[in-house]
Every structure is written in structure tokens, then in C-alpha cells.
RNA sequence: GGGCUAGUAGCUCAGCUGGCUAGAGCACACGACUGAUAAUCGUGAGGUCGAAGGUUCAAGUCCUUCCUGGCCCA
């Protein structure tokens, strides 16, 4: 007789292999049919609201693995919050304005662009951005990200642009907006400002000159020995044309300087550079008159070598000994450091160069001359007045225009700024930083230091694809009209048609009727043609999105982005919100690190180590990418590569197979009618549920603290160690051989059902596809999607510590026995563990435990017989438990052909000579 | 150069306020099973906790310096 027919073996259609690349789209189809995105986005007043506000990715290009990490993390947060009973809507957004898109469109249009109006070019940009929004939207959804994909926010829609303009108006109303000057890259040939991305660096030969700046102030105390001879500070520059704009000479506050006595005069330069400089200047006959620290010269005056004005001595940390003299020529209108130094010392941001690269007409000696062609004349003039110490040529890397390939210059231009000091913006922002929970905590220091030291926020860009700065200029007196009320009026116009109207209508059509210039009374205006920095666009999303959408709560509970956003979005959002609302836009900020390759290097096309999400999805499935996110401690940098993904797939397989095995064993279980009450459960089943409850506790806490990798390891270990290697293995005998309706079988099924049910719920935020798949195979009544269900609640009462301690000891015995079984296996005494008979002896407590548990030990050890005795000769001593003695031999009796246990009762019955007594009863 | 940050077995992670031979899973090697089978079970081998100093009865855990990475600035 074939006794296999009498067994209850696992049976399920749940496939062992995930086949994720094919199956995931099918599951997504089901989600679409269930309208999950809509159901989960619908406003809900009954549940507490949890608002995670999405930081908008830039709408250009396919998503990369960093986007995937970011969105999956957000999705895990959203789903876990929802499963904890919150209403947690997710409104995805995109950053649509800005230079990269404008440049791409430029490229696409080519020469055609010259015949197009700004408004037409902007329409092209809009179309381009929308295309990428749609592509990225599909890519994100393919990752299993849930959200209101039908109603995302885009920074280029009319309502958003109107909101942006309003926030700018608010700054204007509070007098936080002002016009100032700042040096930017400028191409005099193209007559245009250039962004950093449009600048190419190439080798270029420049003049190299040393110039004396005569000291004209009183000597500091203790410098008497320098009196009597002319004293000069020596600077070095490769841009003689900026000398006319010089306003200062910068020294390092801590480096040592020397005064060199050449006989006729005294020259000051850094101590660490003097030998080199004097050699270049061919000065051989000198002595060091004095060595000193330069800070005593702070704010003393030199005289400009050409003009009748002072050049201030100032201090700056950025002065180095790499080149030059350690005394740095400073023209605040022509250099970045110079500019910042100028701001610190209250110097004019002076720029005598016009849009075409010509000196202003009134500049003495060089009026109307073109820079940098004027260089030789400047040198000659310096020589003429005796200020030129030396002249040479140098080849170095120099910025060039990417379009016309000509060298560019750095020159101060008129720009719009948000003041960090007006309304104490800086001070308030720093205070509000402390109201926010920064995760990890060091995010606080990071952003604090940045806000503390940053200059005023330059918000203007000389471009067209963006929100216009809604300011007018008087056509007569050129006074800027940055009036809050008028700016709100323009914002109202944007609300209807978008900001394109700025480019389509005349100033007077945009202004309220009867507007006149407050300073001259004139009524003819022109529009500002600069646009806003895109960081301002995204920085006001709290106003444009969170405050406006009824599903969202303000301030948002969480912003979650990469740690680069301390400088980016967290930063601009904080300033935009504090500047207009005196409050931070977020309660908590969570950051993740960057995705590196397997060796820890940043990914780049040139290195060829880029891992595209698309490829991972094709090869492994989006689920593996999601699980990968959960394996990593994302607060630090994370790594990804083939080996790591393979490892994640293996972990996935383990979890999937655990679920499959349980499904196979509960296929005939009806939870509504066959559940065994807690008090009637077998002991080991209660143990399993106790372990489960500890897992539930751990997992819920991990979701709460966003420690997803902790929960991943906990779940994986539970599946591998508690379930697969012990509980489910031990259960096999009972499940397969016990009568279908027996308490033994139903008790095991009750436990397994509850375990899988809880496990599935807990994994759903991470393994969103697989959890749904399992959910569909579970017996019993349930929500139509796992994503409409909630987490299991933690029941402290289900944890039985005494029981767990007992099983911990039994597991230690089991581990020691396994080692001895392995020895017996090596000696060919046994093959399968059921071939074995185990004798045990122990001292003290352990002896009591073994005797007490002797009846179920064979089952727990998965051997045919266990005998507990008081002492054992020729036995092996336990490694975990030195008080334990173990002896293994071939089991007594014959192997039962039904349950495969050895028993002396096999052969006792004439009708069923091949099976044991226990099986005989089971099939009776 | 500055701000922030990381460095524990091949990989992913534990290791709380310093205290038992530094743990887990995976991968690897070897073996078992063939009633979880493109699965499952067992055993084993892997770490001078980035390096060097120091504090302490005691340091992966505290301090100093250095090395190698990452992000953001310059």
C-alpha cells in the first residue's frame, strides 16, 4: 500500500520562484483595477494625518538608483504609517524650471531658436519637462510606489507659479527683497551671463604681474623699526585689467609675513613665499627687517597704485601659500572670494566693466578700452608709476564660454537678493532649526553651520525658463518697483494663465490701472527680465502644495531626502518658510546617504559603474530593489552591485519560501471555523507565537524609528532561524502524519496561519508586491488588498518569557545533539536524523528539564528515539552545555514507511506490516 | 583648505551608558535528505573591530593623531 496517500503533504499553487519581472506588472494591474492610488489619496478626516512632503526631483532624464532609493524609502514610510492607522497621502512632485532643461531645449531647437520669442521657447521647455514628468512617473510607479500620480504637483503649473510669485511678494512686503550686485561669469562676446554649468575650463596664457601697494597708514604698535623707508604690500595677479577695480589687499590672519629690506624700500609678503617671490623678481640683495603676523594690519590702508583712493588691508582664511605673495589683490566686483570679503568689510561691489567687456567711459587712463585686451596698457601704466615689480607670462586653467569658446570674465552685475539680516531671517532660521527633529541628529549641525555662514540669497538668474521676478522699472527714472501689492496682482494673473503672461503682455497690461512711479510720478514701466532661482521655486512648495491641498497637513511631519539637501531643498524651504511665516515648514527631516558602487566609489558614466534601476527591474524585479533598500543602513552611504543584489535575491528567496511552505500547509485550513483557542494550542505552537509577538514588537518599533534594516534582519532571521531551521522543520512530522482534523494538526495550522498573516502585513511596506501575492493565497476572509490592511497590533500577553527560556535551553541541547549526529553521519551510522536514537544524561537543572520534556524530545530533535538516563558512558560532552552527555546510535526497530520514524512496533500488525503503531491509529 | 560624516568576518548588519572566549544571516567548504526539491536540514572554516599612541583593573566601545572614503562648500 502507498501510505503517502494517507499523509497531509503541503500543497499550494503559490510559485516557488518569484518570477518578479513578469509578475510585478500583473500585480500592478490589479492595483489599478482596485483603484488603490485613488482610495489611499482620498481625503480622510477620521484618521490622524501623517504628511510626508515629497521633494521634487528634476524633470530631466531617466531616474537613477539614487531616485529609486529616495522614493522607495518614502514609500516604505508612507505605507508603514498607513498600516499603523494613519491617513498618509503621498503627493509626488517635480521641479520643472531651470537651466538644464533650457539648455536641452536650446540644443534641440538649434538655429530655430533665433526666430522664436521667449514665450515660444518657454512653451518648448514646458513640453519637454512634461515629457520627462510622464516618463519618471511611470518609472516610479513601476517601483511599486503608491501615490496620487494623477495629481502630482509641478513647479511649472499656473497655480504653482502663482504661489511662487506670491511668496516672492511676501518677501517684498517684509522688505526682505533688495537689489544688489554680485560677480558672475560673463561672456562679453555673447553678452550674456553664464551659469557654472556653461563654463568650460581650458589652458590659457595670461600675464603674471607683481604690483606694489604703498602703505599709507600709521604703523601698528611695535613696528617702529619699519619707519623711515617706503613700505609696500606686494600682490600678484594674472588679470591686470582688474587692478583698476582693486579696493583691498587680503592677508591671512594667522600666517607669518615678512618685511623685506631691499635697501631702498620695504616689501611685505608671506614668509613662506618670500624666497620664491624674490627669486622671480631677481632681488638678491635683501634682508628680512621683520617677521610678524598680519592680523595687526587689519583695516589699515594702502594707496591704490594708479588712483587717488585707498586700498584696504583685510583678512581672509582663503589666502594660501600655493602661489602668489600671500597678499591677495582684491576686487569685490571681479572675484568670488573678493566679493565675500567685500561684503564682510562693507566695500563697494565695484565694477567698471560694461556688458560688452569695455571699461566705462569715465575710468581714468583706460576709459572704453576692452578687457582683457587692455592688460599690456595696465602693466605699462603700473610700470610708469613705479608700481610694477615684475612681469611674466603664465599658462593656467581659465574659464571659457561653452558657446563661443572665448575666455570669459567675472564681473559684478545687478542681482536680486533675499537678505539674511532683514527681519532677522538668519537669526530666526537658526532658532527654528532647533524646533525640528533632525534624523540623524547631526543634520542639525550641518544645516546650522550653513545657515550661520551663508551670504544673502541671490535669487535672480539671467534666463527665461522659470518664474519671472515680478518687478517693474520706471521708464523715466529707472527706479525699481518691487511693491508687494502689485506683485500679488501679477500673481493673480499667473493663477489664471501661468507666468507665460509675463512674456506675452506689456508692462502696463500687467500693472494695476493707474500705477505711477512713487519716486518720479511717471506711469511708463518696463518689466524685469530676470527669473527666479529654481531653489526658490521648490523652496516654496510648503506654500504651493502642503498648505493648499486639503489632504496635506501643515507643517509637514516629514521631509525625506539625500543629505545633499541640507544645502538644497531643506535649506531653501527653511528660509522661504521662516522668511514669510516665522516657522519651519517641517517637523522632522530624515536624510539618507548616497548610493555608491560595490567598491564604494560614486557612480559615473566615465567609470562605467552605473547601475540603472531599469536594469535591476528587468533582471531581478523591483521587489529586489525595494528589499535592497531595506537591507541597507541608508543613513550612511549605501552600496549596490551585482554581488549585493544577488545576496538580496537569496534573502528574498528565503522569505518567499517560508511563506510558500506555510501556504502549502494551511491549504485545508479555515481560520473562521478551525482556529484552535490559545489555551488549547500545543506548547511549541505557543512558543512560536511568542516568538512572533517579539518580532512584531521589534518590527513595529523599527518602522517607528525608520530603522528599516533592523526590521529586515529581524524578519529574515525569524524566517531562517526560528521558522525554517527549527519550528517548521519540527512541525513536518506532526503536520504530515496527524489526522487532518486532529488537534495536533489544527494547532500547528493555527500558529502558522497567524504567523504568515502577521508576517505578510509586516513585510507589506517593503515587499509590496510579494505581500500582495501571498495575501491572495491566504485562506479566510480579508481585505481585497494587503495595502488596505493594517499592521498586527502588538499583544504583550502573547509573550511567554518562561516558555522562551525553556526553549532556549532545549535549542542549546538540540545544537549539541546536532554536532554528535553529524559525527554519527560521518561514520555512516545514520543518514537522516530520523535514523538515530539519542541517549542523553545531564546534571542539575538540565537533568530535570530533560526528564520533564522526554516525551517530546524526539520530536524536537527530529530523531526516532530519545532516552534520558542518569549517566552515560562513552558519551560526547556538549559544547554549549558541558553538563550534557550525548550518545547517538542507530534507532531501534524498523523504519515506518509512512512516517519514516523508526519504531519497534513496525511489523506488529498483520494488515499494515510496514507502519508503526502511531500511524496505524492515524489512518484508522 | 573648511563644515558634516563613515570605516566591526568576502557581503549586509548587531554589539545600549566601557566588563564574560566580538554576534547574526547570507556567501563559501563539506555532508545529509529527496514528503518545502531550480527547495530543505546539519557541520565547519572566516575578524590583530581602518592604523598608531593614550586613559583605565578592564576599550570595538572614551581621548589624541594619522590613513582611506562620502556629501556639501571653498
Amino acid at each position: 500500500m502507498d501510505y503517502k496517500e494517507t499523509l497531509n503533504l503541503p500543497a499550494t499553487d503559490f510559485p516557488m520562484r518569484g518570477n518578479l519581472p513578469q509578475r510585478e506588472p500583473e500585480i500592478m494591474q490589479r492595483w489599478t483595477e482596485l483603484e488603490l492610488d485613488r482610495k489611499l489619496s482620498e481625503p480622510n478626516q477620521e484618521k490622524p494625518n501623517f504628511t510626508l512632503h515629497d521633494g521634487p526631483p528634476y524633470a530631466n532624464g531617466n531616474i537613477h538608483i539614487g531616485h529609486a532609493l529616495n522614493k522607495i524609502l518614502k514609500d516604505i514610510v508612507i505605507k508603514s504609517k498607513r498600516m499603523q492607522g494613519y491617513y498618509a497621502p503621498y503627493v509626488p512632485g517635480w521641479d520643472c524650471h531651470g537651466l538644464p532643461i533650457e539648455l536641452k531645449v536650446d540644443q534641440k531647437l538649434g538655429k530655430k531658436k533665433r526666430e522664436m520669442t521667449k514665450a515660444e521657447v518657454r512653451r518648448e521647455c514646458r513640453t519637454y519637462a512634461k515629457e520627462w514628468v510622464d516618463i519618471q512617473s511611470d518609472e516610479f510607479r513601476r517601483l511599486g510606489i503608491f501615490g496620487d500620480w494623477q495629481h502630482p504637483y509641478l513647479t511649472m503649473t499656473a497655480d504653482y507659479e502663482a504661489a511662487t510669485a506670491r511668496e516672492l511678494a511676501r518677501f517684498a512686503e517684509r522688505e526682505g527683497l533688495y537689489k544688489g550686485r554680485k560677480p558672475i561669469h560673463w561672456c562679453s562676446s555673447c553678452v550674456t551671463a553664464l551659469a557654472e554649468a556653461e563654463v568650460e575650463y581650458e589652458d590659457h596664457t595670461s600675464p603674471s604681474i607683481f604690483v606694489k601697494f604703498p602703505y599709507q597708514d600709521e604703523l601698528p604698535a611695535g613696528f617702529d623699526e619699519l619707519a623711515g623707508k617706503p613700505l609696500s604690500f606686494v600682490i600678484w595677479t594674472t588679470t591686470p585689467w582688474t587692478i583698476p577695480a582693486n579696493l583691498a589687499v587680503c592677508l591671512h590672519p594667522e600666517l607669518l609675513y615678512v618685511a623685506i629690506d631691499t635697501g631702498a624700500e620695504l616689501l611685505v609678503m608671506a614668509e613662506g613665499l618670500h624666497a620664491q617671490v624674490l627669486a622671480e623678481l631677481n632681488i638678491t640683495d635683501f634682508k628680512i627687517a621683520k617677521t610678524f603676523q598680519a592680523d595687526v594690519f587689519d583695516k589699515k590702508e594702502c594707496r591704490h597704485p594708479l588712483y587717488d583712493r585707498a586700498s584696504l588691508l583685510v583678512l581672509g582664511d582663503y589666502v594660501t601659500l600655493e602661489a602668489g605673495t600671500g597678499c591677495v589683490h582684491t576686487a569685490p566686483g571681479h572675484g568670488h572670494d573678493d566679493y565675500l570679503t567685500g561684503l564682510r568689510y562693507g566695500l563697494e561691489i565695484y565694477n567698471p566693466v560694461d556688458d560688452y567687456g569695455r571699461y566705462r567711459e569715465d575710468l581714468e587712463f583706460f576709459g572704453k578700452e576692452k578687457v582683457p585686451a587692455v592688460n599690456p596698457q595696465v602693466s605699462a601704466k603700473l610700470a610708469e608709476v613705479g608700481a610694477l615689480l615684475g612681469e611674466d607670462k603664465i599658462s593656467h586653467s581659465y574659464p571659457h564660454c561653452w558657446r563661443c569658446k572665448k575666455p570669459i570674465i567675472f564681473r559684478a552685475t545687478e542681482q536680486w537678493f533675499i537678505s539674511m539680516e532683514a527681519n532677522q531671517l538668519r537669526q530666526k532660521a537658526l532658532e527654528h532649526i532647533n524646533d525640528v527633529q533632525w534624523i540623524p541628529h547631526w543634520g542639525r549641525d550641518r544645516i546650522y553651520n550653513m545657515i550661520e555662514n551663508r551670504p544673502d540669497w541671490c535669487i535672480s538668474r539671467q534666463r527665461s525658463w522659470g518664474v519671472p521676478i515680478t518687478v517693474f522699472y520706471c521708464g523715466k527714472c529707472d527706479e525699481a518697483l518691487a511693491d508687494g501689492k502689485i506683485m500679488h496682482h501679477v500673481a493673480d494673473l499667473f493663477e489664471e494663465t501661468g507666468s507665460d503672461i509675463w512674456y506675452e503682455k506689456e508692462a502696463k497690461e500687467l500693472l494695476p490701472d493707474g500705477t505711477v512711479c512713487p519716486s518720479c510720478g511717471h506711469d511708463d514701466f518696463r518689466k524685469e527680465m530676470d527669473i527666479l532661482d529654481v531653489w526658490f521655486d521648490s523652496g516654496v512648495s510648503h506654500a504651493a502644495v502642503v498648505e493648499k491641498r486639503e489632504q496635506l497637513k501643515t507643517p509637514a511631519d516629514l521631509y525625506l531626502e539625500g543629505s545633499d539637501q541640507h544645502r538644497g531643498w531643506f535649506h531653501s524651504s527653511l528660509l522661504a518658510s521662516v522668511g514669510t511665516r516665522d516657522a519651519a515648514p517641517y517637523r522632522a527631516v530624515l536624510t539618507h546617504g548616497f548610493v555608491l558602487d560595490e567598491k564604494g566609489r560614486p557612480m559615473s558614466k566615465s567609470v562605467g559603474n552605473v547601475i540603472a534601476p531599469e536594469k535591476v527591474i528587468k533582471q531581478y524585479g523591483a521587489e529586489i530593489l525595494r528589499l535592497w533598500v531595506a537591507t541597507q543602513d541608508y543613513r550612511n552611504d549605501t552600496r549596490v552591485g551585482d554581488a549585493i543584489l544577488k545576496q538580496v535575491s537569496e534573502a528574498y528567496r528565503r522569505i518567499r519560501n517560508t511563506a510558500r511552505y506555510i501556504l502549502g500547509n494551511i491549504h485545508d485550513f479555515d481560520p473562521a471555523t478551525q482556529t484552535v483557542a490559545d489555551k488549547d494550542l500545543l506548547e511549541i505552537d505557543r512558543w512560536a507565537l511568542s516568538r512572533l509577538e517579539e518580532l512584531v514588537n521589534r518590527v513595529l518599533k523599527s518602522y517607528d524609528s525608520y530603522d528599516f534594516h533592523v526590521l529586515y534582519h529581524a524578519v529574515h532571521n525569524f524566517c531562517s532561524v526560528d521558522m525554517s531551521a527549527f519550528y517548521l522543520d519540527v512541525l513536518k512530522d506532526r503536520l504530515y502524519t496527524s489526522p487532518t482534523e486532529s488537534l495536533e494538526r489544527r494547532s500547528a495550522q493555527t500558529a502558522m496561519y497567524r504567523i504568515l498573516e502577521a508576517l505578510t502585513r509586516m513585510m507589506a511596506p517593503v515587499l509590496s508586491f510579494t505581500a500582495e501575492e501571498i495575501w491572495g493565497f491566504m485562506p479566510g476572509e480579508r481585505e481585497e488588498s494587503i495595502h488596505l490592511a493594517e499592521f498586527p497590533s502588538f499583544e504583550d500577553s502573547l509573550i511567554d518569557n518562561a516558555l522562551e527560556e525553556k526553549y532556549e535551553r532545549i535549542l542549546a541541547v538540540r545544537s549539541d545533539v546536532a554536532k554528535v549526529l553529524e559525527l554519527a553521519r560521518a561514520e555512516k551510522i545514520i543518514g537522516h536524523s530520523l535514523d538515530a536514537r539519542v541517549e542523553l544524561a545531564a546534571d542539575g537543572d538540565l537533568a530535570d528539564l530533560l526528564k520533564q520534556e522526554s516525551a517530546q524530545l524526539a520530536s524536537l530533535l527530529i530523531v526516532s528515539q530519545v532516552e534520558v538516563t542518569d549517566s552515560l558512558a562513552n558519551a560526547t560532552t556538549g559544547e554549549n552545555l558541558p553538563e550534557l552527555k550525548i550518545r547517538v546510535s542507530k534507532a531501534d526497530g524498523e523504519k515506518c514507511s509512512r512516517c519514516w520514524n523508526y519504531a519497534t512496533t513496525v511489523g506488529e500488525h498483520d494488515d499494515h506490516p510496514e507502519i508503526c503503531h502511531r500511524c496505524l491509529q492515524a489512518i484508522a
Side-chain angles (χ1 to χ4, degrees):
Chain A
M1 173 173 181
D2 186 5
Y3 292 102
K4 192 169 174 177
E5 298 301 317
T6 70
L7 295 172
N8 282 304
L9 293 177
T12 179
D13 292 330
F14 184 84
M16 174 179 287
R17 307 199 59 192
N19 205 1
L20 296 168
Q22 279 75 46
R23 190 159 291 121
E24 285 166 354
E26 296 167 19
I27 296 172
M28 289 175 66
Q29 184 56 39
R30 190 174 143 66
W31 289 337
T32 305
E33 284 158 16
L34 289 174
E35 294 187 88
L36 275 190
D37 281 339
R38 183 183 61 75
K39 284 178 190 166
L40 298 175
S41 299
E42 264 172 11
N44 183 323
Q45 307 296 335
E46 288 160 30
K47 296 176 173 181
N49 182 299
F50 182 88
T51 294
L52 184 163
H53 179 43
D54 190 36
Y58 197 64
N60 181 21
N62 296 96
I63 64 165
H64 59 244
I65 200 101
H67 288 118
L69 171 69
N70 177 258
K71 291 289 195 203
I72 290 171
L73 283 172
K74 285 171 179 164
D75 192 51
I76 295 174
V77 169
I78 293 277
K79 282 176 176 152
S80 65
K81 287 293 174 189
R82 201 189 48 64
M83 293 189 81
Q84 283 174 68
Y86 287 92
Y87 167 60
Y90 178 58
V91 178
W94 273 274
D95 199 0
C96 302
H97 292 134
L99 184 68
I101 288 174
E102 196 173 339
L103 294 182
K104 284 278 183 189
V105 170
D106 264 20
Q107 258 172 27
K108 242 173 67 179
L109 293 175
K111 284 177 185 166
K112 240 168 64 186
K113 194 191 166 194
R114 285 185 212 156
E115 295 127 41
M116 295 170 71
T117 64
K118 268 196 175 182
E120 284 167 340
V121 172
R122 282 168 54 95
R123 269 196 285 281
E124 289 293 321
C125 290
R126 198 172 288 279
T127 306
Y128 179 90
K130 187 62 177 50
E131 280 167 16
W132 282 111
V133 166
D134 291 342
I135 290 169
Q136 291 189 358
S137 178
D138 287 345
E139 290 176 326
F140 288 140
R141 297 181 67 177
R142 180 62 187 81
L143 293 172
I145 315 290
F146 288 0
D148 198 352
W149 298 104
Q150 297 308 313
H151 312 96
Y153 77 85
L154 310 182
T155 59
M156 65 177 180
T157 55
D159 62 324
Y160 197 108
E161 289 183 338
T164 306
R166 285 207 181 86
E167 293 311 304
L168 183 66
R170 289 204 166 97
F171 271 103
E173 281 169 339
R174 292 179 159 213
E175 294 178 357
L177 184 66
Y178 75 92
K179 191 152 201 188
R181 281 181 173 185
K182 188 187 175 187
I184 55 168
H185 292 293
W186 185 269
C187 179
S188 325
S189 162
C190 302
V191 197
T192 182
L194 295 176
E196 191 59 50
E198 300 171 290
V199 174
E200 294 174 352
Y201 289 84
E202 278 165 39
D203 274 352
H204 180 79
T205 302
S206 301
S208 157
I209 60 170
F210 291 90
V211 183
K212 288 190 295 189
F213 277 66
Y215 188 70
Q216 64 175 14
D217 217 323
E218 279 178 29
L219 285 169
F223 280 70
D224 296 345
E225 67 259 47
L226 298 188
K229 285 185 187 173
L231 174 69
S232 296
F233 284 73
V234 180
I235 66 94
W236 172 74
T237 183
T238 58
T239 51
W241 63 269
T242 60
I243 291 286
N246 173 288
L247 294 178
V249 173
C250 188
L251 312 169
H252 195 285
E254 281 143 31
L255 289 178
L256 288 178
Y257 284 79
V258 288
I260 302 293
D261 190 341
T262 62
E265 60 181 341
L266 294 159
L267 302 175
V268 174
M269 59 195 72
E271 197 261 341
L273 284 163
H274 82 277
Q276 190 182 324
V277 171
L278 293 171
E280 274 185 60
L281 297 176
N282 293 318
I283 298 175
T284 49
D285 186 17
F286 66 88
K287 62 176 198 271
I288 293 176
K290 188 172 177 68
T291 302
F292 57 92
Q293 207 163 302
D295 53 350
V296 291
F297 281 96
D298 191 21
K299 293 182 186 164
K300 298 283 186 193
E301 285 183 2
C302 288
R303 196 177 68 245
H304 192 283
L306 300 178
Y307 302 115
D308 183 21
R309 66 165 189 255
S311 181
L312 200 65
L313 288 168
V314 298
L315 303 177
D317 288 334
Y318 58 89
V319 175
T320 70
L321 297 180
E322 272 165 38
T325 63
C327 305
V328 177
H329 155 54
T330 299
H334 293 292
H336 185 79
D337 284 332
D338 311 46
Y339 165 70
L340 293 176
T341 302
L343 291 183
R344 273 194 294 126
Y345 281 87
L347 301 173
E348 186 191 347
I349 309 303
Y350 174 52
N351 165 38
V353 180
D354 72 10
D355 288 359
Y356 300 91
R358 288 177 314 221
Y359 281 133
R360 288 205 315 243
E361 209 167 331
D362 57 354
L363 183 73
E364 200 179 353
F365 310 128
F366 313 111
K368 294 182 84 171
E369 290 294 336
K370 197 143 174 133
V371 306
V374 72
N375 278 337
Q377 288 165 255
V378 176
S379 297
K381 188 73 193 173
L382 287 167
E384 183 189 322
V385 300
L388 190 69
L389 269 176
E391 185 173 14
D392 202 349
K393 286 197 187 324
I394 183 175
S395 176
H396 61 159
S397 167
Y398 190 85
H400 291 68
C401 174
W402 74 321
R403 215 182 301 256
C404 70
K405 309 294 179 193
K406 289 183 181 153
I408 60 177
I409 60 173
F410 216 56
R411 75 186 262 274
T413 52
E414 300 274 298
Q415 303 288 344
W416 287 97
F417 293 85
I418 286 176
S419 166
M420 290 301 294
E421 313 314 328
N423 305 308
Q424 294 177 290
L425 177 56
R426 187 189 312 278
Q427 192 51 43
K428 284 180 184 166
L430 291 175
E431 283 164 18
H432 287 296
I433 283 174
N434 293 326
D435 301 338
V436 176
Q437 185 194 2
W438 300 92
I439 313 167
H441 65 273
W442 48 257
R444 185 241 169 233
D445 292 346
R446 193 169 153 98
I447 194 166
Y448 193 97
N449 289 341
M450 287 174 183
I451 298 277
E452 196 173 30
N453 295 311
R454 67 157 298 150
D456 287 349
W457 183 2
C458 178
I459 55 163
S460 50
R461 297 293 125 96
Q462 293 67 51
R463 285 283 152 187
S464 24
W465 179 227
V467 178
I469 293 176
T470 49
V471 168
F472 298 85
Y473 295 95
C474 174
K476 191 176 177 194
C477 71
D478 216 33
E479 182 78 11
L481 184 65
D483 180 284
K485 276 205 192 78
I486 293 172
M487 292 167 81
H488 276 296
H489 171 79
V490 176
D492 290 342
L493 299 176
F494 285 7
E495 188 85 52
E496 290 162 32
T497 59
S499 66
D500 287 348
I501 195 171
W502 188 261
Y503 299 89
E504 290 158 351
K505 305 256 180 181
E506 296 302 318
K508 66 167 162 260
E509 299 174 277
L510 298 166
L511 283 162
D513 290 341
T515 307
V516 293
C517 174
S519 72
C520 74
H522 195 72
D523 66 353
D524 182 28
F525 294 89
R526 62 182 168 86
K527 301 173 286 187
E528 168 64 81
M529 292 312 283
D530 284 1
I531 59 165
L532 280 166
D533 175 15
V534 289
W535 285 114
F536 191 87
D537 285 27
S538 57
V540 301
S541 64
H542 60 94
V545 180
V546 184
E547 287 177 8
K548 281 197 183 167
R549 302 239 182 164
E550 66 170 324
Q551 305 104 299
L552 304 177
K553 185 182 73 180
T554 182
D557 292 293
L558 189 68
Y559 277 33
L560 196 179
E561 308 296 333
S563 59
D564 55 334
Q565 299 303 329
H566 287 115
R567 175 51 102 178
W569 191 51
F570 303 147
H571 192 112
S572 59
S573 297
L574 181 72
L575 294 181
S577 178
V578 170
T580 53
R581 284 154 177 78
D582 275 347
Y586 34 65
R587 289 181 199 279
V589 172
L590 178 57
T591 55
H592 60 255
F594 275 67
V595 184
L596 308 174
D597 76 1
E598 227 143 21
K599 292 175 183 158
R601 299 170 305 183
M603 291 187 187
S604 76
K605 274 185 192 159
S606 56
V607 181
N609 58 351
V610 175
I611 306 241
E614 190 199 351
K615 218 185 136 198
V616 179
I617 291 168
K618 256 191 190 151
Q619 194 178 346
Y620 298 95
E623 196 83 308
I624 298 305
L625 212 47
R626 298 183 64 96
L627 189 57
W628 164 74
V629 168
T631 65
Q632 302 274 325
D633 181 357
Y634 62 84
R635 290 166 172 77
N636 298 328
D637 292 335
T638 58
R639 296 188 181 195
V640 73
D642 283 335
I644 290 171
L645 288 169
K646 224 181 130 201
Q647 179 182 343
V648 175
S649 309
E650 289 297 310
Y652 171 78
R653 199 170 47 74
R654 167 41 56 93
I655 295 169
R656 185 178 178 91
N657 269 324
T658 303
R660 177 174 183 266
Y661 184 66
I662 293 179
L663 285 174
N665 280 300
I666 58 175
H667 70 275
D668 62 335
F669 180 71
D670 176 9
T673 58
Q674 294 167 333
T675 295
V676 174
D678 284 3
K679 63 176 172 45
D680 299 325
L681 289 170
L682 269 61
E683 186 185 74
I684 189 175
D685 297 333
R686 276 197 289 116
W687 171 84
L689 290 174
S690 179
R691 296 294 294 165
L692 171 69
E693 216 51 32
E694 288 193 343
L695 178 70
V696 169
N697 190 24
R698 189 110 189 264
V699 167
L700 294 183
K701 277 186 179 158
S702 303
Y703 274 122
D704 250 355
S705 56
Y706 307 120
D707 287 314
F708 307 133
H709 65 287
V710 171
L711 108 225
Y712 155 77
H713 281 283
V715 166
H716 188 241
N717 267 23
F718 179 80
C719 287
S720 295
V721 182
D722 289 331
M723 291 296 110
S724 198
F726 178 57
Y727 181 64
L728 296 178
D729 207 20
V730 166
L731 234 47
K732 283 174 187 167
D733 180 75
R734 176 153 45 114
L735 283 166
Y736 299 171
T737 68
S738 305
T740 307
E741 302 290 344
S742 62
L743 171 69
E744 286 77 13
R745 185 167 156 80
R746 294 302 184 210
S747 174
Q749 287 181 316
T750 298
M752 284 190 300
Y753 173 80
R754 280 164 60 175
I755 287 165
L756 184 58
E757 155 105 356
L759 215 46
T760 307
R761 290 170 189 265
M762 290 190 290
M763 73 170 79
V766 177
L767 296 175
S768 299
F769 293 96
T770 305
E772 189 74 297
E773 197 185 348
I774 296 170
W775 200 243
F777 278 86
M778 294 274 292
E781 288 286 310
R782 57 194 62 257
E783 294 84 349
E784 54 194 343
S785 165
I786 180 77
H787 300 294
L788 296 170
E790 298 198 349
F791 280 146
S793 56
F794 169 58
E795 300 289 345
D796 195 23
S797 62
L798 289 172
I799 293 183
D800 186 337
N801 286 317
L803 189 63
E804 290 203 29
E805 277 166 35
K806 184 169 105 181
Y807 271 76
E808 210 172 302
R809 301 196 74 196
I810 291 175
L811 282 165
V813 171
R814 196 173 188 266
S815 155
D816 277 342
V817 169
K819 293 184 219 299
V820 184
L821 286 171
E822 196 62 26
L823 294 175
R825 200 168 277 135
E827 290 173 35
K828 308 288 182 198
I829 296 169
I830 61 163
H832 196 284
S833 60
L834 281 176
D835 300 343
R837 164 188 165 84
V838 174
E839 291 167 275
L840 299 173
D843 304 325
D845 291 352
L846 187 60
D848 297 339
L849 176 69
L850 294 177
K851 280 174 191 158
Q852 185 193 317
E853 300 299 321
S854 62
Q856 64 159 345
L857 276 178
S859 154
L860 295 178
L861 299 179
I862 317 183
V863 297
S864 283
Q865 292 126 14
V866 171
E867 189 184 341
V868 180
T869 57
D870 288 325
S871 65
L872 271 182
N874 301 324
T876 309
T877 301
E879 262 178 50
N880 302 321
L881 304 164
E883 70 271 40
L884 180 66
K885 302 287 180 211
I886 305 155
R887 199 160 68 191
V888 168
S889 56
K890 180 82 179 172
D892 296 337
E894 297 295 317
K895 180 175 175 178
C896 169
S897 63
R898 182 170 178 272
C899 71
W900 293 352
N901 279 266
Y902 280 71
T904 51
T905 57
V906 174
E908 283 181 0
H909 289 270
D910 296 339
D911 292 348
H912 298 282
E914 294 171 37
I915 64 171
C916 66
H917 186 64
R918 186 179 60 139
C919 283
L920 186 73
Q921 287 184 320
I923 62 171

